């Protein structure tokens, strides 16, 4: 199930579209009910369909009716620059995203006055790296993120060899970007799993480009069902980030095992001796 979910998330930004906005190089990617919080939720439901192995979510029946009324010509936010950098040392690091929008300030203000809009970042994590969902929830509580979720393998204790890949979906409220002149800096804390043994002493993992989407809906209330509209921001692929994770050398296995056994034996005998002297 985790592998299917990751494949469909990856296909989301490349899925065929069924609405094209006039006089714009952006296209509608999809629409879904406001009751669905995450993009990956919609794909998780689609995977249960008999057609899920052959069709994207946009091809599931009745989805083409969801965007009715949201295909108006809009001057939606567009990206002018996206950068990503892996910072930190050791087994705990951060991905830092720098996102700049290219619209004129007046156009951005006008759009955000009429629409609730979020930047959605979907980062597909390589094998051997995980995000702590409990840690990320603190970012939501401090209002750094509007919302965040981890999909796939969320078992934090498993080593790299026994774990599956995962993906992180971050929602960032564009309204808060007005105070930053629409230039966003977003940090995602990540952690390394214990990698397999390697003679070089390091295991290297690489991050591909994230998917960036614009999610928006009208602010005014009306009797029609509430719908989120999505657009792929078509971000230019960022440079791959590489993380060299320290790992054990298989040649040292015998020595480390022997030393560990002797240490455990000495400690056990010390505990028994101390207990016998106190009785």
């Amino acid at each position: 199930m985790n592998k299917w979910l990751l494949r469909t998330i990856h296909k989301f930004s490349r899925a065929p579209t069924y609405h094209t906005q006039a006089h714009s190089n952006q296209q509608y990617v999809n629409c879904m009910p406001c009751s669905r919080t995450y993009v990956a939720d919609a794909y998780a439901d689609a995977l249960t369909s008999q057609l899920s192995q052959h069709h994207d979510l946009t091809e599931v029946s009745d989805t083409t009716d969801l965007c009715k009324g949201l295909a108006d010509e809009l001057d939606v936010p567009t990206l002018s620059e996206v950068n990503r950098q892996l910072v930190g040392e050791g087994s705990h690091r951060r991905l830092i995203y720098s996102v700049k929008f290219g619209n004129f300030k007046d156009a951005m203000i006008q759009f955000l006055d009429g629409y609730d809009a979020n930047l959605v970042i979907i980062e597909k994590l390589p094998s051997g790296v995980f995000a702590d969902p409990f840690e990320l929830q603190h970012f939501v509580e401090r209002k750094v993120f509007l919302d965040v979720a981890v999909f796939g393998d969320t078992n934090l204790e498993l080593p790299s060899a026994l774990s599956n890949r995962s993906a992180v979906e971050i929602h960032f409220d564009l309204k808060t970007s007005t105070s930053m002149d629409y230039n966003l800096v977003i940090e995602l804390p990540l952690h390394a799993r214990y990698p397999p043994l390697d003679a070089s002493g390091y295991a290297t993992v690489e991050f591909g480009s994230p998917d960036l989407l614009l999610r928006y809906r009208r602010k005014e209330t009306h009797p029609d069902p509430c719908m989120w509209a999505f657009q792929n921001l078509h971000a230019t692929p960022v440079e791959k980030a590489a993380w060299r994770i320290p790992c054990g050398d298989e040649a040292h296995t015998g020595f480390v095992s022997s030393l560990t056994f002797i240490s455990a034996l000495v400690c056990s005998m010390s505990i028994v001796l101390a207990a016998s002297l106190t009785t």
Side-chain angles (χ1 to χ4, degrees), residues 80-100:
S80 63
E81 184 178 341
V82 178
N83 293 301
R84 185 192 61 185
Q85 187 177 10
L86 181 67
V87 300
E89 298 179 354
S91 298
H92 308 280
R93 301 194 182 186
R94 306 185 311 280
L95 276 179
I96 299 182
Y97 308 87
S98 176
V99 181
K100 296 182 180 180

Side-chain angles (χ1 to χ4, degrees), residues 157-164 193-195:
E157 304 299 329
L158 290 178
S160 179
L162 299 179
S163 64
N164 295 317
R193 297 184 185 274
Y194 292 109

Side-chain angles (χ1 to χ4, degrees), residues 40 58 66 69 78 90 105 119 125 132 135 151 161 174 186-187 201 211-212 214 218 223 233 235 238 270:
T58 54
L66 294 181
T78 57
K105 186 174 181 179
L119 173 67
L125 303 181
D132 186 345
E135 179 183 17
F151 297 90
L174 288 187
I186 303 171
E187 294 191 13
D211 295 323
L212 279 77
L214 175 68
R218 291 190 183 92
L233 291 175
V238 297
S270 300

Side-chain angles (χ1 to χ4, degrees), residues 70-213:
L70 290 173
D72 302 331
E73 184 177 347
L74 294 173
D75 187 8
V76 299
T78 57
L79 292 179
S80 63
E81 184 178 341
V82 178
N83 293 301
R84 185 192 61 185
Q85 187 177 10
L86 181 67
V87 300
E89 298 179 354
S91 298
H92 308 280
R93 301 194 182 186
R94 306 185 311 280
L95 276 179
I96 299 182
Y97 308 87
S98 176
V99 181
K100 296 182 180 180
F101 288 92
N103 302 62
F104 291 110
K105 186 174 181 179
D106 292 342
M108 286 286 289
I109 293 175
Q110 183 178 359
F111 176 78
L112 294 176
D113 283 344
Y115 290 84
D116 294 318
N118 312 143
L119 173 67
V120 178
I121 300 176
I122 300 178
E123 183 71 57
K124 299 171 289 294
L125 303 181
S127 179
V129 175
F130 71 93
D132 186 345
F134 304 102
E135 179 183 17
L136 295 180
Q137 281 304 313
H138 292 304
F139 284 70
V140 178
E141 294 170 2
R142 299 200 307 267
K143 302 186 184 304
V144 178
F145 299 153
L146 180 65
D147 206 347
V148 65
V150 180
F151 297 90
D153 197 337
T154 57
N155 189 329
L156 311 184
E157 304 299 329
L158 290 178
S160 179
L162 299 179
S163 64
N164 295 317
R165 294 182 62 184
S166 60
V168 182
E169 180 174 334
I170 302 172
H171 295 184
F172 194 90
D173 189 359
L174 288 187
K175 194 69 175 179
T176 61
S177 67
T178 56
S179 61
M180 297 177 281
D181 200 23
Y182 306 103
N183 297 329
L184 309 180
V185 178
I186 303 171
E187 294 191 13
L188 173 61
L190 298 174
H191 312 278
R193 297 184 185 274
Y194 292 109
L197 300 177
D198 191 279
S200 67
Y202 290 92
T204 302
V205 296
E206 290 187 346
F207 295 80
S209 293
D211 295 323
L212 279 77
L213 310 170

Side-chain angles (χ1 to χ4, degrees), residues 39-58:
V39 176
D41 277 345
Y43 278 98
D45 291 343
L47 290 175
T48 62
S49 170
Q50 294 180 352
L51 301 177
S52 61
Q53 298 185 16
H54 308 286
H55 298 278
D56 296 312
L57 180 64
T58 54

Side-chain angles (χ1 to χ4, degrees), residues 207-225:
F207 295 80
S209 293
D211 295 323
L212 279 77
L213 310 170
L214 175 68
R215 184 181 80 158
Y216 62 91
R217 66 184 178 188
R218 291 190 183 92
K219 287 186 176 181
E220 68 268 15
T221 57
H222 47 76
D224 296 331

